Amino acid sequence: MGEFINILNNTLTFIYDNILSILMMVLLISVGLFLSIKTGFLQFRRFGYILKNTIGQLFNKKLHQQDKNSVSPFQAVTTALAGTIGTGSIAGVSTALVLGGPGAVFWMWISALLGMVTKYSEIVLALHFREKNESGSYVGGPMYYIKNGLGKKWLAIAFAIFAMIACIGTGNATQANSISGVLDMNFHVAPWITGIVLTIVVGVVIIGGVKRIASVNEKLVPVMAIFYIVASVLALVFNADKIPDAFALIFKEAFNFKSAFGGISGYTIFTAMRYGVGRGVFSNEAGLGSAPIAHSASSAESPVKQGLWGVFEVFITTIVICTMSAIVILTSGIYSDAYAIGVKPEVSGAALSSAAFNEALPYVGGFGIAISTVFFALSTILGWAYYGEASVGYIFKNHEKTAINVYRIIYVVFVFVGAIAEINTVWLVADCFNALMALPNLIALIALSGLVVKLSRDHFAKKE
């Protein structure tokens, strides 16, 4: 069995590193640029309008209205944000800095700036082509606009299958593993105990379906985001004098063809781009096609108005939260000292983030990162549970309720498995299926881009 796992790991690593990750990088940048040009760079040209109609509407009663068969527009947003503000905002950024160097942050920004309109387009199409299921609730996502917009049912089923599998890995087992790891490291809680508690919590929530998931995330996401932003601001205040040098380093290394960490283990501009774009999409999901599934369950009537939240999601997750994480790490001695002598930091992932925060905020920073990781990862598990259910419901439409109940059992089991296991293989499978689910979605976005432009033009013509 061990030999089989090794062969599988090596095969998946080769496929992802040499084919899928490169293809993803090229497609995400290309599609984002293509959609930006076709919409007249809507994400920049309408940015004031976007902020006014997203964060500026937080206390508008209409944003929180729902009916018995749908969730409110704000609940849809927080469920989608729950899927994006995960460990990618903490561990993903630090991994990109270690493997891709400081320049990876620049390419993360580029992928986010282009990804804003990609995610906007996904949501607009998802609401335009959504349907109602047998219980009268809205369902939608790439599988519906691929089927109803492109007329390619087989491609829609392929997307749903890839998404269903990716949800168990990316949104579930890997997140559970992050929670158990950080609790074990900081509070000495045995992984099996974390696994049991987490399994019970997730099970209780997802049994209630999308409305309960949305209700929990509506309360959880704003609190955890504010908590992490405040902790980051405090850490940066103590290292304020180092911030200009950190930004200068990002821009300098973004186009550096030389290795910073020495020899073959170092990085070049291509590696910086690859990890910057890769971890960027891991943090904001623009192009994957996952978030539109949550937005489709909204009671919102206007596809464009709901699509504006997609721009905001990418902005807050990558431009704000991931940038804060990156600057905290870059201003820390543990990273800057290693960079100065050309060796990689001794730790990576959440451990590097924790060490950086603990350096800026002694005795408090490490625990803050631990708490943030727990809540970020938990919200991701809940958000992706609905993505998986929606995909299963699409595949097994004639036996939807039974199929979803079976999937829920499998999903909850993998919460425990992820918490206690070494899951390198699960990570690799998740990465591969993330890429595979993105491919049909990106094809559909290009093919249906004209409709996105028309719907956008019609909406803004009414407002002007």
Side-chain angles (χ1 to χ4, degrees):
M1 186 65 177
E3 183 64 24
F4 171 76
I5 294 295
N6 287 334
I7 294 173
L8 180 62
N9 283 347
N10 291 336
T11 302
L12 292 175
T13 299
F14 177 83
I15 292 173
Y16 184 76
D17 286 350
N18 296 285
I19 303 173
L20 291 178
S21 66
I22 297 172
L23 183 61
M24 276 279 285
M25 179 186 74
V26 173
L27 283 176
L28 287 168
I29 293 293
S30 300
V31 172
L33 183 59
F34 173 77
L35 292 171
S36 294
I37 293 172
K38 286 209 69 169
T39 59
F41 289 90
L42 178 145
Q43 70 271 46
F44 307 130
R45 188 166 45 87
R46 300 283 185 178
F47 192 67
Y49 178 89
I50 291 167
L51 291 182
K52 180 182 177 181
N53 286 274
T54 53
I55 195 169
Q57 295 292 314
L58 285 180
F59 299 103
N60 188 325
K61 290 183 179 180
K62 290 184 178 180
L63 187 64
H64 301 275
Q65 287 178 350
Q66 63 185 102
D67 56 47
K68 64 178 182 179
N69 293 320
S70 65
V71 301
S72 72
F74 183 68
Q75 287 178 329
V77 171
T78 52
T79 300
L81 274 172
T84 58
I85 307 180
T87 54
S89 302
I90 300 175
V93 173
S94 62
T95 301
L97 285 169
V98 171
L99 297 177
V105 179
F106 174 83
W107 296 107
M108 188 179 289
W109 292 336
I110 295 299
S111 72
L113 293 173
L114 297 176
M116 287 177 180
V117 77
T118 302
K119 200 166 192 180
Y120 165 83
S121 301
E122 291 175 317
I123 296 169
V124 169
L125 292 172
L127 265 73
H128 184 74
F129 287 109
R130 66 184 176 178
E131 301 176 359
K132 284 192 174 182
N133 60 17
E134 59 184 29
S135 64
S137 300
Y138 281 120
V139 288
M143 50 279 206
Y144 290 92
Y145 55 75
I146 291 172
K147 182 191 75 171
N148 298 330
L150 293 184
K152 305 292 184 182
K153 190 174 181 180
W154 67 270
L155 192 61
I157 292 174
F159 171 86
I161 292 172
F162 297 149
M164 177 182 67
I165 297 172
C167 287
I168 292 175
T170 300
N172 183 348
T174 56
Q175 306 293 330
N177 191 260
S178 295
I179 293 175
S180 65
V182 79
L183 290 180
D184 187 21
M185 181 175 67
N186 289 278
F187 303 107
H188 308 294
V189 178
W192 68 268
I193 295 177
T194 299
I196 291 174
V197 174
L198 198 57
T199 299
I200 294 171
V201 170
V202 172
V204 169
V205 175
I206 69 173
I207 284 173
V210 64
K211 290 179 74 67
R212 186 178 295 173
I213 292 172
S215 178
V216 171
N217 281 333
E218 180 183 30
K219 301 173 181 65
L220 187 61
V221 171
V223 172
M224 73 179 191
I226 292 171
F227 175 83
Y228 187 73
I229 289 172
V230 170
S232 299
V233 169
L234 288 175
L236 291 173
V237 166
F238 285 100
N239 287 325
D241 59 317
K242 300 176 183 177
I243 294 176
D245 290 338
F247 276 101
L249 188 62
I250 290 171
F251 287 103
K252 171 191 170 186
E253 295 298 338
F255 302 97
N256 192 350
F257 286 89
K258 295 181 179 179
S259 170
F261 290 129
I264 195 170
S265 63
Y267 66 88
T268 63
I269 183 174
F270 178 78
T271 310
M273 288 180 65
R274 177 182 155 197
Y275 283 103
V277 174
R279 294 309 169 187
V281 74
F282 187 68
S283 75
N284 59 52
E285 294 180 28
L288 286 187
S290 48
I293 297 173
H295 284 277
S296 297
S298 163
S299 60
E301 296 180 358
S302 169
V304 170
K305 288 198 75 171
Q306 193 66 20
L308 301 178
W309 282 101
V311 179
F312 175 77
E313 287 170 19
V314 177
F315 175 77
I316 195 69
T317 54
T318 305
I319 302 299
V320 176
I321 293 178
C322 287
T323 297
M324 285 185 161
S325 298
I327 301 302
V328 170
I329 294 170
L330 288 172
T331 55
S332 69
I334 191 170
Y335 187 91
S336 60
D337 291 348
Y339 174 83
I341 60 176
V343 298
K344 290 188 176 182
E346 295 180 358
V347 291
S348 183
L352 176 56
S353 296
S354 181
F357 272 86
N358 213 39
E359 182 182 302
L361 303 171
Y363 309 110
V364 178
F367 290 126
I369 286 296
I371 294 170
S372 295
T373 300
V374 169
F375 285 107
F376 278 25
L378 175 60
S379 68
T380 301
I381 292 172
L382 297 177
W384 281 71
Y386 176 64
Y387 300 161
E389 288 183 15
S391 300
V392 169
Y394 180 83
I395 298 169
F396 302 99
K397 196 168 187 177
N398 295 329
H399 306 282
E400 183 178 355
K401 288 185 178 179
T402 301
I404 287 176
N405 286 333
V406 171
Y407 184 79
R408 285 174 178 169
I409 294 171
I410 296 171
Y411 195 86
V412 169
V413 167
F414 268 88
V415 172
F416 183 78
V417 171
I420 64 171
E422 290 289 336
I423 54 169
N424 289 337
T425 304
V426 176
W427 264 112
L428 287 168
V429 170
D431 282 340
C432 289
F433 277 91
N434 266 355
L436 290 173
M437 70 184 278
L439 294 178
N441 181 52
L442 293 171
I443 291 170
L445 291 178
I446 294 172
L448 298 172
S449 59
L451 179 58
V452 174
V453 172
K454 180 182 182 302
L455 292 171
S456 301
R457 187 185 296 122
D458 291 347
H459 174 84
F460 288 111
K462 295 177 183 177
K463 300 299 176 182
E464 293 175 345

